[in-house]
Amino acid sequence: MKSLSTLSLALIATLAFGTSNIILHPSTAAALPSTPSSSSNNNNNTVSIAAAASRTGFFESLQSPSSTGTSGSRNAPPSTSAANPLTQKFIIPNETGPSSWSCSYIAQEVLSTSTGTSISIGRRSKRKPFSCGELISRETNLDYGRYSVDMISTNVKGHVSGFFLIAPNGASEIDVELTGLNSKVGWMNVWKNGKQHPVKIPLGFDASKDWHTYTIEWRKDFIAWFVDNKQVYRRSDVGTLDPRKNLYKLALNSWTSQSDDQWAGRFSLPGRKTVVKTQFRNLRYTP
């Protein structure tokens, strides 16, 4: 995008999320680690000032120049939470995740390489049939603007690739989700107070075949979604929370569904020759 600045993406270690009785979207639940102490909560004035000061340091490419592997190689050494350079900017959950999924987040499924970051599906979990992964921003001072990422998803039934912004307690969420059940459509969704408003968008291509850019433009009075810099949907009928008073975070994930539905379908791991993973690169933000 013209005038788009590439910034350093950060995912937060102390999340300002508490427990809630609202019904959460599956991807939302994964972004809710244990509640931090009250000392981690900022007052509204501090959030506003910090947001203005920190915006220019937010995003990065998700590519690791020092890596010798490639994002498509299973022979590359698996990253770990301790060794993965992404941990400076992101929380990488381990052995946790929504109970409704057939996978648990495992840090080793997140691999940063010279071509981007991949989040794979495997069998490393001790709790669930499959392992999956998520990145949650350490940066809390997110504001209105355009958030973009390049992705390659899969065409494997039951596999879901997600890119979303989320407020504390899941009270508000803005999603881009791609499912393997139909890799030629994207789901643009807004959650508010436990209610979702999904829209199915034909992409005009197979999202599992190549890199494409997905963008959320979040403004006070509307939300718009773009694919390869072309607007595909815009809405103003579902409001969001004020980001200067609520610590939104950004997350990326790759996970498996165990529901026999027409959205994603039930996942089963293909043969060994098929690697199931979502690839990400070039996170970007424009005010």
Side-chain angles (χ1 to χ4, degrees):
M1 297 178 190
K2 194 173 182 179
S3 79
L4 195 66
S5 57
T6 299
L7 311 167
S8 68
L9 176 57
L11 304 188
I12 177 172
T14 48
L15 301 179
F17 286 166
T19 57
S20 171
N21 292 324
I22 64 174
I23 299 172
L24 299 178
H25 184 274
S27 63
T28 302
L32 305 178
S34 58
T35 307
S37 65
S38 60
S39 62
S40 67
N41 295 327
N42 297 336
N43 60 45
N44 295 342
N45 185 54
T46 301
V47 170
S48 180
I49 294 172
S54 69
R55 195 66 59 240
T56 57
F58 184 64
F59 286 99
E60 67 175 13
S61 66
L62 287 181
Q63 296 163 226
S64 176
S66 61
S67 175
T68 58
T70 63
S71 61
S73 174
R74 271 294 196 185
N75 295 323
S79 64
T80 64
S81 181
N84 196 326
L86 291 172
T87 57
Q88 296 179 13
K89 307 263 179 95
F90 297 88
I91 290 175
I92 305 179
N94 195 56
E95 280 293 4
T96 186
S99 59
S100 60
W101 295 0
S102 58
C103 66
S104 293
Y105 291 144
I106 300 296
Q108 286 179 296
E109 298 296 357
V110 180
L111 177 64
S112 176
T113 77
S114 60
T115 58
T117 292
S118 64
I119 304 179
S120 300
I121 305 301
R123 290 191 180 276
R124 290 188 169 104
S125 176
K126 297 178 181 179
R127 300 172 53 244
K128 296 287 189 73
F130 309 110
S131 50
C132 51
E134 180 167 80
L135 297 170
I136 309 169
S137 69
R138 293 186 184 278
E139 172 67 59
T140 58
N141 298 313
L142 305 188
D143 205 342
Y144 298 122
R146 291 168 66 103
Y147 296 84
S148 297
V149 70
D150 299 344
M151 281 196 288
I152 302 177
S153 62
T154 76
N155 58 5
V156 177
K157 180 181 177 181
H159 180 238
V160 183
S161 306
F163 165 52
F164 58 99
L165 293 157
I166 180 173
N169 300 324
S172 173
E173 183 178 343
I174 308 169
D175 299 335
V176 173
E177 289 182 300
L178 307 172
T179 75
L181 184 64
N182 185 348
S183 57
K184 295 183 179 181
V185 302
W187 293 88
M188 315 306 168
N189 198 3
V190 183
W191 285 77
K192 187 173 183 182
N193 296 327
K195 184 178 180 180
Q196 65 171 320
H197 306 269
V199 177
K200 181 181 180 181
I201 302 293
L203 297 174
F205 55 80
D206 187 333
S208 71
K209 300 301 183 183
D210 205 351
W211 291 106
H212 292 277
T213 302
Y214 302 86
T215 302
I216 296 169
E217 181 170 0
W218 176 32
R219 304 297 178 187
K220 183 177 181 179
D221 54 352
F222 73 88
I223 305 167
W225 290 261
F226 296 76
V227 177
D228 292 334
N229 303 328
K230 295 180 180 179
Q231 183 173 300
V232 295
Y233 195 67
R234 175 180 170 132
R235 70 189 311 162
S236 56
D237 58 322
V238 183
T240 59
L241 303 179
D242 185 344
R244 295 167 179 82
K245 299 179 181 179
N246 298 271
L247 299 179
Y248 276 82
K249 282 161 286 293
L250 186 147
L252 306 168
N253 62 19
S254 168
W255 56 277
T256 60
S257 170
Q258 60 180 353
S259 298
D260 290 313
D261 56 30
Q262 295 304 307
W263 180 70
R266 183 183 293 269
F267 179 82
S268 62
L269 197 64
R272 292 189 177 185
K273 292 184 178 180
T274 301
V275 178
V276 182
K277 66 181 178 183
T278 306
Q279 299 177 73
F280 302 94
R281 70 181 186 189
N282 298 331
L283 278 161
R284 297 176 292 267
Y285 170 80
T286 302

